[in-house]
Structures are given as C-alpha cells and as structure tokens.
Amino acid sequence: MIPTGFFMDLPGTPPSAGALRDRALGRVAELPALHQLAAPGPRWGRATALDPARHIRTRDVAPGGAALDAASQELLHLPLPSGAAPMWDIWLLRNPGQDGYRLCFRVHHALQDGVGAAHTVTRLLTDDPGTPGPRAHRPVPVTLRGLTGLGRDLYGSLRRDRSWGVLGVPPADDLAWSYRDVPDARLRTLAARWGGTVNDMYLAALARAFRAWHARRPAPHPPCGDVTAVVPMSLRRKGEEHAPGNRLVFARVALPCSQARPAECVRRLVCDTRQLRTSGQREIAGRLFNWAPAAATIRKQLAITTPRISLIASNVHLPHDVSCFGSRVGAASMFTALPHGVLCYVSLTRTGGTARCTVVHDRALPGAGDLPELWLTALGELEATTPL
C-alpha cells in the first residue's frame, strides 16, 4: 500500500474538525477517484457512502516545528483506510497555542498519481474550488529521437548504477523525511540566467547535493559516479485533471554528479532535459501504455526491475496564491512512500512563493536526511558560478 499526497503549511488559526469535514465531504462527489474501492481481482469497485471518521482526522501535537514534523513522518507509515472505505484521508495537525497548522492529504498511488493528487487537494480544500491545479501537459510532435530515448530508458531500467552501491543496500523498511525551503524567485532567477527551466535548476542542485553527500561517506569509497533519477512525467491533459488512476510515464535522467565543475553539470542537464521535452518521448511512452499488449509487458518489467531504481525525483507546481480556510498556503511538500527496493524519493513543490525540497528516504541510507540541506548549499554554489 503506497500512499502519495501533500503536506500543506498554513498560518493562523486552524479550522474546526467540523468545518474541515463539511468542506471535504461536500466536494468529494465531484472526484471519482475518491470513491474507488479496492476489490479482489483486477477491477475496482465503487463506494456508495463515505465514513467521515475514517477519512477526516485531526491530531493535536506538542508545540514546535519538530513535533509537527515528527507527527507528519508518522503518517508515512500509517495505513490508509481500506476494506469498505476508499484508500484516502485528510489529516489536520494542530499545534495548540501556536500560530499555524498543517493539512495532509494522502491517497493510494493506484487511485491517483502525484499530479492527480495535486488537482484533488486543490479542489477539496481551497477556499475557491475552481482554483486551477498544475498546468495540463501540452503534447509535442513525436520524433525518432523520442523513440530512441524511450528504448534507451527501457534498456537502462534493467541495470543498476553500480557506482552508487549504497543506493542498492537492503531496505530497513523504516521511512524518514526532511525538507528545506527557499524563495521560489531564487530558482526562477537561476533558470533565466542559465537558459534552462526551474526543473533544470532543481535537478542540477540535486546532482551537486549527491556529490557532496558522497564526499561525506567514510573512506575508502569509489569515485563519485552519476546517479540516474527516475522522473515521473504527467500525461494528464485538459479535462483529465481528476480522472482516476495513474496517467504518467517515467524518464531516466542522469544526474551528472561526477562533474567537478558546477557549470558543466548544469550544461549537461539543460541539454538532456530539453531533448526529453522536445523529442516526443513522453507521447510515445503514453501511447505504449495505452496499448494493452505493450502495457502488460512494460508493467511486468517495471515490477521486476523496481529494485534497480536508485532514485525518484518529482517536481510539481501548485497555484502560488491559494488559500484554505482564510489562510494563504505558505509551503507544501509532495511525498510518496517508497516502492519496495527504492531507498530515496525527492520532490520539489512550489507554492505560496516558496520552493520546498523534500526527501523521503529509507533509514538504511546513512545521512540521507542531510540531502535537502546539501541541496540548499548547492543552490548557492550555482548562484556563485558563471554560466558556460
């Protein structure tokens, strides 16, 4: 059972449990994914009624950010509602006597992918239910480069990054999370300066963070190699915002951790991701997943090769000026529990003028909780570097 979802931080006085329940359950009828029931066999059933006590939860935590984060971390392990209840819930985490609170929306990944969950949480909880979620994917023409890239990625999924053996150690099945915030304007300024996208800057800083993390490992250790990040790419188009299921494909992006020069690291990433965006690889992969014979083969292969995935890196942009219960969302974290054998998930979530880098990792990875801090340091390094 793999939950995905969002933590959202808001200032001010939290809503009452009744207000949260009335808002969410008053809108859930518009969201078909939240009525889906797991059933024996390959089909999904449909719930005829929802139990508020199972889907809308509140919890008071001790004062301070550390207690709030600890309570949030517990939700990574807590089972979702199941059986006769659809597998999703909302948690209101309150700090009595403190200004501010955290809302958490969790949903089984089979019901919603990350972008679908972003649309859902926007529709369920914002003051204006018409607030748009992430922008819809705009298809591009398919090219031979796209077909070649897809074949290369499928072949690459059969191999593990041997230079990063630490990412292939047996999992402890104990998850932890950490994060750091930066003004979103810093990433946008970097993107304009380097001629790339915010996602390029996020991934470049992540590559530098992994390089710094590698340097902290006890000696002797092998030279720092590149890390392959599995990057989800949404296929949701306009009108499909709230459709049930997973409408995404994956690309494999090499993070150039081996590069000693920050400028060369950014140059490589900007080049690789531009080719990925413009080649039509996403469109070809989407067509294969919609073709039943190929989809069955690919899904079986992915199930077999999941332990060969070293890292998952996501990026989602929520509305910047979105409010819930009269307060503007100040920051948010997209998260997912880790598939079996995967030890690290990193996300960048942008909203409220804040970009938050979040890491969910298995405790079998020593020091992985420092990656957001190292990512923050890497951003400063890129800001101090002259573009090529």
Side-chain angles (χ1 to χ4, degrees):
M1 185 179 294
I2 303 175
T4 190
F6 289 87
F7 296 120
M8 299 195 304
D9 291 344
L10 298 102
T13 303
S16 67
L20 176 61
R21 180 184 63 245
D22 291 346
R23 173 168 293 187
L25 297 184
R27 297 179 182 178
V28 74
E30 307 166 6
L31 301 166
L34 301 191
H35 292 272
Q36 300 281 355
L37 276 179
R43 295 184 177 274
W44 294 88
R46 180 173 175 83
T48 56
L50 300 176
D51 180 0
R54 301 190 69 178
H55 294 290
I56 313 297
R57 312 289 296 274
T58 60
R59 180 178 174 184
D60 291 336
V61 302
L68 188 62
D69 289 344
S72 303
Q73 183 165 289
E74 290 180 18
L75 296 181
L76 296 175
H77 303 86
L78 192 69
L80 288 163
S82 59
M87 293 181 288
W88 64 271
D89 59 19
I90 298 170
W91 283 80
L92 169 60
L93 301 180
R94 302 179 294 201
N95 284 104
Q98 301 289 304
D99 180 61
Y101 58 99
R102 179 170 288 164
L103 287 170
C104 175
F105 170 71
R106 304 188 308 156
V107 63
H108 194 292
H109 211 304
L111 296 182
Q112 293 257 264
D113 52 53
V115 171
H119 285 291
T120 293
V121 75
T122 303
R123 176 65 63 88
L124 269 183
L125 298 177
T126 59
D127 292 337
D128 177 6
T131 301
R135 284 182 292 183
H137 166 58
R138 296 179 180 177
V140 301
V142 170
T143 68
L144 181 59
R145 286 185 304 148
L147 182 60
T148 302
L150 178 60
R152 182 178 60 247
D153 279 3
L154 290 174
Y155 173 73
S157 68
L158 299 172
R159 299 177 297 133
R160 179 179 284 283
D161 298 324
R162 296 189 180 277
S163 59
W164 280 79
V166 66
L167 292 174
V169 300
D173 294 322
D174 184 12
L175 302 184
W177 81 301
S178 57
Y179 62 90
R180 287 294 182 272
D181 295 341
V182 298
D184 184 60
R186 285 182 63 181
L187 286 165
R188 288 187 281 110
T189 299
L190 270 173
R193 182 165 164 244
W194 286 86
T197 65
V198 166
N199 189 58
D200 293 332
M201 301 304 107
Y202 155 57
L203 293 177
L206 187 59
R208 304 301 296 171
F210 266 91
R211 182 178 176 85
W213 182 47
H214 182 274
R216 290 184 174 186
R217 293 173 57 194
H221 52 71
C224 184
D226 294 345
V227 173
T228 300
V230 172
V231 178
M233 300 187 298
S234 177
L235 295 172
R236 290 179 185 268
R237 301 186 185 183
K238 189 173 179 60
E240 299 176 338
E241 292 86 351
H242 304 291
N246 281 236
R247 302 200 174 200
L248 53 80
V249 293
F250 298 94
R252 297 172 65 85
V253 176
L255 301 184
C257 311
S258 61
Q259 286 295 326
R261 300 170 58 203
E264 180 61 23
C265 173
V266 178
R267 187 197 68 78
R268 279 183 51 184
L269 268 173
V270 169
C271 179
D272 290 349
T273 60
R274 180 181 293 124
Q275 178 168 314
L276 183 62
R277 291 193 307 273
T278 60
S279 67
Q281 180 174 330
R282 180 188 316 209
E283 285 68 26
I284 297 172
R287 291 176 188 176
L288 283 176
F289 271 98
N290 287 328
W291 182 41
T297 301
I298 294 172
R299 287 193 181 97
K300 182 177 180 181
Q301 180 221 0
L302 290 177
I304 293 172
T305 61
T306 294
R308 294 190 177 94
I309 296 173
S310 299
L311 168 71
I312 301 173
S314 297
N315 176 13
V316 69
H317 186 187
L318 295 174
H320 265 310
D321 192 17
V322 60
S323 64
C324 298
F325 303 100
S327 297
R328 185 171 182 254
V329 177
S333 292
M334 183 166 68
F335 66 87
T336 189
L338 299 174
H340 179 71
V342 180
L343 301 186
C344 192
Y345 167 85
V346 187
S347 70
L348 181 73
T349 312
R350 303 163 60 206
T351 188
T354 300
R356 174 170 287 180
C357 178
T358 301
V359 172
V360 178
H361 66 92
D362 192 287
R363 290 188 188 274
L365 288 182
D370 296 334
L371 282 169
E373 187 65 38
L374 296 173
W375 179 84
L376 194 61
T377 301
L379 278 184
E381 179 187 47
L382 297 183
E383 289 170 329
T385 300
T386 302
L388 291 176

